[in-house]
Amino acid sequence: MTEPQNEILPLIIEGIRERKGKNITTVDMSDLDTAAARRFVICEGTSTQHVSAVADSVREYLLEHAKVKPYNYDGYGNSQWIVIDYGDTLVHVFLPQTRQLYDLEGLWSDAVITDYPDED
């Protein structure tokens, strides 16, 4: 059984912030017929080690606080872009230059995009 998607979003964001992930953005594609998922959560780490730590934090935070495990995850091999699959929500943790290269926000610019302020 999966957690309702609106309930896991704040947990994902907190998991990112636990490890000081930066530039958090959500891309809500729930009104788009062609989207592979209902929502992307996109953020950045400052190094490959930081990208891995942020992704680990999201997975640990959701497991601890909501007993939710991802369906799958990938990208730990080089840790430039790690994606974590929570069904309707995909979490993307990027290095800044990799995020810029793939430009998911630009690719899905017809979706509802929300930026979250960094916490210091």
Side-chain angles (χ1 to χ4, degrees):
M1 183 166 144
T2 60
E3 193 74 12
Q5 296 305 305
N6 289 338
E7 293 180 26
I8 71 167
L9 180 60
L11 298 175
I12 291 169
I13 291 170
E14 282 306 308
I16 293 167
R17 288 180 170 161
E18 276 286 301
R19 292 288 185 279
K20 307 288 187 212
K22 300 288 184 195
N23 299 319
I24 303 169
T25 301
T26 58
V27 180
D28 182 346
M29 301 171 289
S30 55
D31 291 335
L32 304 178
D33 294 333
T34 58
R38 292 176 57 87
R39 178 190 299 125
F40 286 167
V41 180
I42 305 168
C43 68
E44 297 173 8
T46 56
S47 67
T48 56
Q49 294 87 350
H50 190 214
V51 167
S52 294
V54 171
D56 286 345
S57 179
V58 169
R59 292 174 38 226
E60 292 163 7
Y61 202 88
L62 265 73
L63 186 58
E64 180 181 338
H65 291 88
K67 306 290 186 255
V68 174
K69 290 182 179 181
Y71 292 104
N72 206 347
Y73 49 88
D74 194 24
Y76 279 92
N78 64 16
S79 296
Q80 294 181 18
W81 175 7
I82 295 175
V83 62
I84 310 167
D85 180 356
Y86 286 104
D88 284 350
T89 300
L90 297 176
V91 181
H92 300 270
V93 187
F94 284 103
L95 283 176
Q97 60 270 26
T98 308
R99 180 179 184 173
Q100 200 171 30
L101 177 67
Y102 288 97
D103 189 23
L104 295 181
E105 295 96 327
L107 197 61
W108 295 101
S109 61
D110 48 348
V112 178
I113 297 175
T114 306
D115 295 319
Y116 293 77
D118 287 341
E119 291 185 344
D120 291 321

